[in-house]
Amino acid sequence: MTVRRDFKEPARYRPDQVIGREELFSDAREQLARGGSVLLHGPAGIGKSTVLRALAAENAGAARTVLRCSATESESHLPFLALADLFGLVVDEVAARLPGAQRTALESALTGRGESTLQRDGLALRLAVLSTLRALAAEGPVLVVADDLQWLDPASAELLGFAARRLGDSPVRMLCAVRTDGEEYGHDRHLRACPPDTLAVRLGPFSRTQVSALLDHRGYTGLSRSTVRDIHRTSDGNPLFALELGRALAESPARPRPGEPLPVPTSLRALVLSRLEMLSDEARRTLLVASAGARPTLALLHAAGRDNAEAETAQAAALGLLATDPEEPALRFAHPLISAALYAEAPARERRAVHTALSTAASDPIERARHLALAATGADPEVAARLAEAAALARDRGAPSVAASLGLLAARHTPADGEPGPDERRLQAAEDAITAGEVDLARDIAREVLTRATVPAQRVRAWMVVIEAAGQALGEVDAVFPQVLADAGDDPRLLALVHYQLAWREVVVDGDFAKSRQEAAHAAELAARGGDRRTELMALAFQSSTETLMGHPDAPATIQRALQEPQDPDVACHHNGAAMARFRWLFMSDQLPEARTAITALLREARRRGMVESEVHFSRLLADTELRFGHCGRALDLAGESLRLARDSGIGESASAMLASLAEASGGDVERAVALARESADHAEVDGDQLYLSLALAALGYAQLVAGDAQAAVRSLRRVRDLEHGMGINDPARGRWQGDLAEALVRIGEPGEAQELINVTRVHALRLNRASVLAVLDRAEALVRAARGEHQVALAQLTSAQERLRRLGFGLEEARAAFALARLRSRGGQGASGYEEAGRLFRRCRALPWLRQVEQAVAAGPAEADPVPAAPPAVLDGLASMERQVAALVMEGATNREIAGRLFISVKTVEATLTRVYRKLGIRSRVDIVRLAAGRRAP
């Protein structure tokens, strides 16, 4: 394809800002920083020039000379043109330093005078280019920036490649970009024009999340997630094509109807229509049928009346319009844009004729109904009924997004006085959209219905969609509840729906679990009275979940009530259903194998049914379960999958980021863990979601503890303690943060507060029989006792805690207990053998951040028996607890690395703490601290 250069860009566009290429950009940046060269490659419109401009802007300041060229197809036949672009402005600077023959040949090539050719002046020209680059490099670093290498005139490409291969250690870097349409290794031949160490960076298609971010960045906001999904599919992730499609939608007064492809702007149609014009009329009609079909095959084309389909599709394949694959019976366009442009270009009458043919030719009933709708015009009860049946079939197949699309088509063809009416079908489509994770579409449908609905049941149903679409941001729809209560009147079925949502509101917005439990119980009672078994089951499941988190004694009985027959199949695998409540109970009761079996089955069923929101949550919860087992690698994969799906759908982002943080802190990158936890907390703060805010802060505290920043961990986890106390959450198995806070408190020299926390938490853990929590509390209490000098008691308590955690199957917590035991034994002069056991357990878990801590502890050597040595009070009284500990260890002569190992913190934290100590004590160095310890004044 030839990409035009006249695409419009909004005023806010910044060419140096790279979206969606952060990792690739980082790799290229590092290569250039090392003095290497970079070749960017990929298909047209994939963003090579954007990345090239950004890298060039970033690296230009470090170069004394920047040479640039940007070739075009129309000029590629002109010899030495690229060479003139590169050297035209600098040749006078170096000409005097070139040998005569080289200077003459180069000037002749650059000016066009003397008719220099590679055949006649080949060697002189090659050496002249090499000498010029070396002469420029002798004055300082040189950066050569060349875009669109594929259009480089052959003479310039040959000369540049000759020089690039011989530059050696000269400080010359090359930053190039080349188009490689449909060729996986098409860039290889262009590497000959680059130095031997060149890094080839392939730019692939954007994900849906990246396309969404790009559209938003360029000003095309307000597009629904379903529209962004269609843009991503039609553009095939090509950023340039996605932007053009977004621009066309933003400028269009009307959006495409359900089932119709996106409008393709003229700027993109021009990319493919030139080749379409080379088709015969009959071949073009055959391709139009293929573009309208969901999965076109030769058999389908024949059934639709295209008798010469084989020859006509072969002609299209020869022109590069169709991609051929002998293993794949379905026909595939070389790019989705070709199909979209072909369809957009066809007259409406011709499109309807194609859909009429396909409405009988297609074998799938859902596909036949869709074509029937697109072929029809105006209201038609028979077409509407066929579409409604197809939507129900799609729903049963686990394709709620398809069901929503078909439902909207059914509503469009339903007569105003039909039964069910058009708005009934719209509301069903909205509920299908919610299930599919297309919350923007669902909200828009419900809001439209509310503008005209007068029947209470319809209004309440529409309000429920609006509330569901708000997700965790229930505070944003607070004003809805008085309206929906008024619409519900005294109908128990309608009131049950409202009070179920009010139960959620109480816990998410106000953090009041007691009131939330009352609302859920009231909703279950109303639903039972009104004969609404589905809402009754959902309310009972939610009531049992709140009771579980509160540590309420009725929780097991309520779960059993929620699991009684008759059951509703949709509730059975819903992320807020009774099976989910049972999983939560198993998980918090330390029954990990049973919990894993339960959540795996729920995830499988949610995927089969296309329940996106449930899939997001079940993936996350399975990751959490694997993390408790100590399977950190598996947890990382599952948490990443949940987070990607959450970001794509806009559902459960806070919860998924929170779990991804825990997984990263345990088995991945600690800095990323901290960033993810902050992202999760920010989401929850914006949504006003107290429930997930406490979990996000617990994840943040854990990540900070693993990173060695005990002070920050204490701040985060103290806030979790306050939030959960305010919400009435008493079950310590909910977030399992208490042991981390106690450990962090010991590290900053607050063992008293740590012991108080342990005592309070132990009361609840004993009452609820939370064996794993009790073992972790014992591990933390052993650290308190060690800090107080009770060495033998601490050893016994840690040994017991490790064994109990092993029996329970909590692999990571077992490894942490072994690590604490190794540290304590090291302080007691018992050697480093315990570290081998801790390292083995952490390796088994693939807990890389913890394994690095073991290695640091071994490198630091044996620690003293007392991890918090007493400090001269008169000298250090004005310091914070961590500052006192660090200063006291300096007074003993400990190095920064030794201090880090003994206090469970990083060397960087030690250095930052010492800086604060110097400032507060009015001194300048470690030597001054030692002088103070000896009672001498610092100079």
Side-chain angles (χ1 to χ4, degrees):
M1 299 181 189
T2 300
V3 178
R4 292 170 53 190
R5 299 282 182 176
D6 58 348
F7 294 110
K8 299 177 184 177
E9 295 289 0
R12 64 184 289 194
Y13 168 61
R14 279 182 50 199
D16 61 328
Q17 190 156 353
V18 176
I19 301 291
R21 304 293 190 193
E22 290 78 9
E23 187 174 345
L24 295 177
F25 192 83
S26 178
D27 292 343
R29 173 193 285 143
E30 290 177 8
Q31 170 74 357
L32 291 167
R34 289 192 295 265
S37 297
V38 172
L39 174 66
L40 307 169
H41 64 98
I46 206 68
K48 303 179 298 298
S49 295
T50 299
V51 176
L52 181 129
R53 286 193 297 267
L55 286 168
E58 187 176 282
N59 286 272
R64 178 186 178 275
T65 305
V66 179
L67 307 176
R68 299 177 186 271
C69 72
S70 183
T72 63
E73 184 178 12
S74 62
E75 298 169 341
S76 59
H77 66 287
L78 299 174
F80 307 122
L81 185 61
L83 199 66
D85 286 343
L86 289 171
F87 293 156
L89 298 178
V90 297
V91 68
D92 291 341
E93 179 183 339
V94 297
R97 283 176 274 174
L98 300 181
Q102 293 180 24
R103 182 171 62 250
T104 300
L106 183 60
E107 288 176 347
S108 177
L110 297 182
T111 62
R113 295 191 298 270
E115 298 183 359
S116 179
T117 65
L118 273 180
Q119 287 73 24
R120 190 180 64 198
D121 304 311
L123 181 59
L125 268 175
R126 287 174 172 84
L127 294 175
V129 171
L130 177 60
S131 299
T132 298
L133 287 172
R134 283 176 173 166
L136 292 170
E139 302 295 326
V142 176
L143 177 64
V144 178
V145 181
D147 199 1
D148 284 321
L149 278 186
Q150 74 278 1
W151 304 133
L152 216 64
D153 63 275
S156 295
E158 167 63 24
L159 293 170
L160 202 58
F162 175 88
R165 293 190 294 273
R166 291 164 175 79
L167 284 167
D169 295 331
S170 298
V172 177
R173 296 171 297 165
M174 294 185 67
L175 174 58
C176 306
V178 63
R179 182 191 302 177
T180 51
D181 288 322
E183 303 173 81
E184 187 174 353
Y185 300 104
H187 67 285
D188 282 358
R189 65 180 181 275
H190 297 285
L191 281 171
R192 292 197 298 270
C194 303
D197 67 341
T198 298
L199 172 69
V201 177
R202 182 179 181 275
L203 276 65
F206 273 20
S207 68
R208 191 195 306 179
T209 302
Q210 290 168 333
V211 165
S212 179
L214 178 66
L215 291 167
D216 182 64
H217 172 68
R218 298 294 176 86
Y220 304 132
T221 56
L223 299 174
S224 69
R225 291 188 183 277
S226 56
T227 301
V228 172
R229 179 199 62 199
D230 290 343
I231 289 174
H232 178 257
R233 183 178 60 239
T234 303
S235 67
D236 203 25
N238 185 295
L240 176 64
F241 299 168
L243 284 172
E244 286 299 292
L245 290 166
R247 180 171 65 83
L249 281 168
E251 295 175 354
S252 174
R255 297 291 164 88
R257 296 183 299 179
E260 291 184 343
L262 296 175
V264 180
T266 305
S267 57
L268 290 185
R269 291 188 201 182
L271 298 178
V272 295
L273 291 182
S274 59
R275 275 184 285 172
L276 287 172
E277 289 170 358
M278 299 170 69
L279 288 172
S280 66
D281 290 344
E282 290 302 311
R284 186 171 179 138
R285 290 191 189 97
T286 295
L287 279 199
L288 178 60
V289 176
S291 73
R295 192 172 182 272
T297 62
L298 288 172
L300 178 67
L301 295 177
H302 281 298
R306 306 311 302 166
D307 297 333
N308 297 317
E310 285 86 351
E312 289 158 358
T313 54
Q315 182 187 357
L319 291 171
L321 295 166
L322 290 178
T324 57
D325 184 351
E327 304 292 324
E328 176 58 56
L331 299 170
R332 184 168 59 85
F333 284 89
H335 192 283
L337 186 62
I338 299 171
S339 173
L342 178 65
Y343 188 91
E345 192 71 10
R349 176 181 49 78
E350 197 172 341
R351 286 190 230 167
R352 285 196 298 272
V354 165
H355 288 299
T356 298
L358 288 171
S359 68
T360 57
S363 59
D364 185 82
I366 292 176
E367 189 67 7
R368 287 199 302 270
R370 186 179 75 87
H371 288 301
L372 182 65
L374 294 172
T377 56
D380 186 326
E382 183 181 345
V383 170
R386 288 266 303 275
L387 285 163
E389 291 169 5
L393 181 58
R395 199 175 303 119
D396 291 342
R397 287 182 181 178
S401 179
V402 175
S405 176
L406 291 168
L408 288 175
L409 283 170
R412 196 177 89 205
H413 290 288
T414 301
D417 58 351
E419 186 59 41
D423 280 345
E424 282 290 318
R425 284 178 165 149
R426 287 188 182 94
L427 287 172
Q428 179 61 66
E431 289 161 358
D432 287 329
I434 285 284
T435 303
E438 298 179 15
V439 292
D440 293 342
L441 175 62
R443 184 190 302 110
D444 291 346
I445 297 170
R447 291 284 188 188
E448 180 195 348
V449 170
L450 283 166
T451 61
R452 56 179 172 266
T454 56
V455 178
Q458 275 192 1
R459 291 189 62 79
V460 171
R461 193 175 171 190
W463 283 126
M464 291 301 103
V465 171
V466 171
I467 293 169
E468 287 278 356
Q472 298 299 117
L474 283 174
E476 295 179 2
V477 292
D478 250 0
V480 163
F481 287 104
Q483 298 176 57
V484 71
L485 280 168
D487 285 334
D490 57 2
D491 186 326
R493 289 176 65 92
L494 300 181
L495 285 170
L497 293 170
V498 183
H499 283 280
Y500 173 70
Q501 294 295 347
L502 281 170
W504 274 101
R505 187 213 166 276
E506 292 299 335
V507 72
V508 170
V509 179
D510 291 342
D512 191 333
F513 272 71
K515 195 167 181 182
S516 175
R517 174 178 176 267
Q518 292 172 4
E519 288 285 5
H522 186 39
E525 178 189 336
L526 286 165
R529 199 189 323 156
D532 182 357
R533 181 60 173 163
R534 183 185 189 281
T535 302
E536 181 187 7
L537 290 171
M538 292 293 287
L540 285 171
F542 187 60
Q543 180 186 341
S544 69
S545 294
T546 57
E547 289 172 348
T548 298
L549 296 175
M550 293 169 68
H552 197 286
D554 289 351
T558 307
I559 291 174
Q560 288 306 311
R561 285 177 62 199
L563 290 170
Q564 287 175 357
E565 295 294 339
Q567 286 291 315
D568 183 296
D570 288 335
V571 175
C573 61
H574 194 279
H575 57 280
N576 291 321
M580 174 63 193
R582 177 175 174 271
F583 159 78
R584 184 177 286 110
W585 175 261
L586 292 169
F587 183 69
M588 295 174 65
S589 301
D590 299 326
Q591 300 178 57
L592 291 185
E594 295 86 349
R596 179 164 59 186
T597 299
I599 198 65
T600 301
L602 285 170
L603 177 59
R604 187 184 306 115
E605 184 63 12
R607 284 174 173 163
R608 188 185 73 80
R609 289 173 169 267
M611 301 170 71
V612 174
E613 185 171 8
S614 294
E615 183 181 349
V616 169
H617 289 296
F618 294 155
S619 297
R620 170 177 61 84
L621 292 167
L622 180 55
D624 202 1
T625 308
E626 297 292 356
L627 204 54
R628 299 301 165 195
F629 274 114
H631 303 158
C632 297
R634 173 74 172 142
L636 264 174
D637 292 341
L638 284 163
E641 181 182 325
S642 174
L643 184 57
R644 283 191 297 274
L645 187 57
R647 286 174 171 166
D648 279 350
S649 63
I651 294 173
E653 292 182 75
S654 177
S656 295
M658 175 273 298
L659 205 284
S661 170
L662 290 174
E664 288 286 354
S666 299
D669 185 306
V670 180
E671 288 186 8
R672 176 167 164 75
V674 171
L676 283 166
R678 292 193 191 282
E679 175 190 332
S680 176
D682 289 345
H683 268 296
E685 293 267 27
V686 169
D687 291 344
D689 183 352
Q690 305 261 340
L691 192 63
Y692 275 112
L693 178 59
S694 66
L695 290 172
L697 290 171
L700 177 60
Y702 172 66
Q704 290 165 332
L705 182 69
V706 177
D709 193 347
Q711 290 279 12
V714 166
R715 287 194 298 271
S716 298
L717 296 173
R718 277 174 175 163
R719 191 176 173 199
V720 176
R721 179 181 60 191
D722 295 342
L723 281 168
E724 293 204 350
H725 178 74
M727 287 189 283
I729 297 177
N730 294 313
D731 194 331
R734 187 249 180 174
R736 300 176 185 267
W737 50 268
Q738 295 85 354
D740 292 334
L741 177 54
E743 183 174 333
L745 286 166
V746 172
R747 291 191 192 184
I748 68 168
E750 300 289 350
E753 184 182 342
Q755 187 63 59
E756 182 182 348
L757 170 68
I758 291 166
N759 293 342
V760 170
T761 306
R762 187 175 276 135
V763 171
H764 294 297
L766 284 168
R767 176 174 61 84
L768 298 168
N769 192 29
R770 301 299 190 231
S772 65
V773 173
L774 289 167
V776 168
L777 291 175
D778 279 357
R779 184 185 70 204
E781 189 172 53
L783 300 178
V784 174
R785 287 177 166 168
R788 290 173 171 169
E790 302 171 27
H791 188 83
Q792 293 304 317
V793 176
L795 280 173
Q797 196 167 18
L798 275 174
T799 303
S800 170
Q802 181 184 347
E803 176 58 25
R804 284 148 57 203
L805 288 166
R806 184 192 65 77
R807 289 199 303 268
L808 288 167
F810 280 69
L812 183 58
E813 299 293 358
E814 176 197 354
R816 288 179 64 180
F819 187 28
L821 193 58
R823 282 182 176 276
L824 191 55
R825 285 173 174 161
S826 176
R827 292 188 184 107
Q830 298 180 35
S833 59
Y835 287 129
E836 294 178 7
E837 169 71 0
R840 182 185 67 80
L841 291 174
F842 282 134
R843 274 191 293 274
R844 185 181 69 183
C845 295
R846 223 202 81 174
L848 303 182
W850 286 104
L851 191 58
R852 282 191 286 271
Q853 289 196 31
V854 173
E855 293 166 353
Q856 289 169 3
V858 172
E864 298 295 329
D866 182 6
V868 187
V875 177
L876 305 182
D877 271 353
L879 301 179
S881 56
M882 174 61 78
E883 293 164 354
R884 288 198 304 273
Q885 293 176 63
V886 171
L889 287 168
V890 169
M891 290 175 177
E892 290 186 353
T895 66
N896 286 1
R897 181 174 290 279
E898 289 168 344
I899 294 169
R902 291 171 65 177
L903 297 182
F904 291 71
I905 59 178
S906 66
V907 174
K908 188 175 180 181
T909 301
V910 173
E911 293 167 351
T913 304
L914 279 174
T915 299
R916 294 195 298 273
V917 169
Y918 298 156
R919 185 174 63 251
K920 288 183 179 181
L921 297 181
I923 58 179
R924 291 177 293 180
S925 69
R926 296 167 61 93
V927 174
D928 294 338
I929 294 180
V930 175
R931 287 196 180 99
L932 288 174
R936 299 195 304 273
R937 204 186 242 319

